[in-house]
Amino acid sequence: MPYIHYNRIQKQKQSGWPFKKFIEKMRERAMKMKAAVMTGVGMPLSIQEVDLAEPKANEVLVKIEATGVCHSDLNAVNDATTPIPTILGHEGAGTVVSVGPNVYKVKPGDKVALSWVPYCGTCEFCVTGAVHLCESAFGPMFDGTLLDGTSRLSHNGEKIYHNSLLSTFAEYAVVPELSCVKLPNEMPLAQASLIGCGVATGYGAAVNAAKVTPGSTVAVFGIGGVGVNAIQGAKIAGASKIIACDVKPANLDIAKQFGATHTVNVTEGDAAEALRNLTGGFGVHFAIDCSGNTRATESAWNGTRKGGTVVVVGAFNPAAALNLPAGGFHRVGKILKGSFYGDTQPYRDFPTIAQLYLDGKFKLDELVLDRISLDDINKAFDSFHDCNCINVGRSVIEFSPAAPIETADKVEVQIEVTKLSL
């Protein structure tokens, strides 16, 4: 596909050709691509050819090369508030094809992992480093648009909504610049696609939110796609004892492969008592609950020592109640905190995780459970309903790789001018 680097094309203004009219026509152009479209609540996704418009200011066109199928996508399919029609998908990686005006962080040819939580950089939370608390993206995210409140997606002239500002269940995506995080060229994109959601959330829960310290003891509740990465984060942070807690024996076995030193099957007794027994009667220094179950959080609290920290990553049912002992609450000195997206700072944490993987210190290959085509996406959704399926990892949709793109120092504009009526 032709691309224009709008920041550098300014140099062509003096060449005598009708620059302004050319740019207007290029911006109006829409490309055809294959995508999986949600057309109704609870319905299988429909494979369609759709239109994708050029990126606008502060936006980037990415050739999606891999995207994970997350349980949150299934939640969106079954959610009556999801705008319809929409293209789902929020775990992706690919290659930058072109950029809109005012884009400086990436250029055509860059390998990128995508973050579904871009931030403004100027609000009170962003300027203090808590970019994960920025609210700027959530209005457009819930409305199914990009940050400017409009969509780049359509089918036969009718608007299609974006999902999580990314919509990676498609061959291409137009995304905010701040969703694009450049990765090393040697990073494989199937593995890179998983960094942007469950991997970063779990790693960040341990490293950023809990701030696990060397020699400490850690319990992780809920050994799924987030929990195993919390285990990996705790291991990297230097924890001496990492206790995996879950209801599935198979998941507990898998946890050991990712760094758990001990396991607790929470169906076989009092989990809090088990944690105390494994830590000399004190309880763990840090507990990370990835389950979304309030009973697990209660066990995590009761199994954490005085002065310890409990981090809740999983989303609770709004109707559920969290019951903690009130007696002596002020004496135990514990911290209970929620963590959204693992307190992740994408521009810091994504490249760190990628380099840890490349150095052999972080497992990502094992999280790619299956490699499928876009046509098989509904089979991946069906697997979520099978209680016997492994849920520690992702099915990854792979697309054909991007064609090589000349670097900006070799070419300013690559177009097919003969196809335009100037």
Side-chain angles (χ1 to χ4, degrees), residues 21-365:
K21 191 173 182 180
F22 167 78
I23 290 296
E24 289 173 350
K25 284 189 173 288
M26 287 299 293
R27 286 180 178 173
E28 291 170 359
R29 292 178 63 181
M31 62 180 295
K32 301 287 186 182
M33 68 173 184
K34 188 177 180 181
V37 183
M38 176 182 170
T39 58
V41 176
M43 295 176 58
L45 302 187
S46 173
I47 307 300
Q48 300 179 11
E49 184 180 72
V50 303
D51 296 316
L52 179 66
E54 293 281 327
K56 295 183 180 180
N58 306 305
E59 294 176 356
V60 177
L61 174 64
V62 176
K63 171 69 174 71
I64 302 298
E65 296 185 43
T67 178
V69 183
C70 176
H71 198 277
S72 295
D73 297 311
L74 177 64
N75 293 341
V77 167
N78 294 324
D79 188 347
T81 67
T82 301
I84 294 174
T86 188
I87 296 175
L88 301 176
H90 62 280
E91 291 185 345
T95 303
V96 174
V97 176
S98 67
V99 300
N102 306 322
V103 172
Y104 302 100
K105 290 184 179 294
V106 294
K107 65 183 184 302
D110 284 347
K111 277 188 174 183
V112 293
L114 301 179
S115 167
W116 57 275
V117 190
Y119 53 92
C120 70
T122 59
C123 71
E124 180 176 350
F125 298 109
C126 286
V127 297
T128 57
V131 299
H132 58 285
L133 298 178
C134 178
E135 292 286 338
S136 63
F138 287 94
M141 188 182 299
F142 294 142
D143 292 338
T145 68
L146 292 182
L147 292 176
D148 69 349
T150 65
S151 175
R152 306 292 164 270
L153 298 163
S154 62
H155 179 61
N156 293 332
E158 298 295 326
K159 179 168 70 174
I160 295 178
Y161 292 96
H162 295 260
N163 176 256
S164 297
L165 302 164
L166 299 181
S167 294
T168 57
F169 292 165
E171 294 175 309
Y172 293 84
V174 170
V175 303
E177 176 188 17
L178 288 173
S179 288
C180 297
V181 182
K182 185 177 178 180
L183 297 180
N185 286 332
E186 60 269 30
M187 185 68 193
L189 290 176
Q191 289 82 343
S193 70
L194 304 183
I195 292 177
C197 187
V199 170
T201 300
Y203 168 87
V207 174
N208 302 327
K211 292 181 170 56
V212 171
T213 54
S216 61
T217 54
V218 180
V220 178
F221 286 77
I223 310 304
V226 174
V228 291
N229 292 298
I231 290 172
Q232 295 203 85
K235 180 180 179 181
I236 288 167
S240 62
K241 188 173 291 185
I242 304 172
I243 307 166
C245 306
D246 202 276
V247 299
K248 286 185 176 182
N251 286 16
L252 294 174
D253 289 339
I254 292 172
K256 295 176 183 177
Q257 301 174 26
F258 286 86
T261 59
H262 299 74
T263 62
V264 171
N265 189 319
V266 299
T267 67
E268 296 178 353
D270 185 335
E273 182 180 356
L275 295 181
R276 290 191 293 270
N277 290 338
L278 288 169
T279 54
F282 291 101
V284 294
H285 294 93
F286 303 96
I288 302 169
D289 181 15
C290 308
S291 71
N293 187 312
T294 55
R295 292 181 62 185
T297 302
E298 292 162 8
S299 293
W301 177 268
N302 293 326
T304 301
R305 68 179 60 200
K306 291 181 179 181
T309 298
V310 178
V311 174
V312 177
V313 181
F316 293 143
N317 182 330
L322 180 61
N323 298 303
L324 302 179
F329 187 90
H330 63 293
R331 295 180 58 245
V332 296
K334 297 183 187 181
I335 297 171
L336 173 65
K337 64 176 294 186
S339 175
F340 176 68
Y341 206 20
D343 294 12
T344 295
Q345 293 188 24
Y347 284 100
R348 177 194 65 196
D349 295 333
F350 285 19
T352 296
I353 294 169
Q355 193 59 54
L356 286 168
Y357 165 78
L358 293 172
D359 292 343
K361 298 177 181 178
F362 200 98
K363 294 180 181 294
L364 291 177
D365 297 340

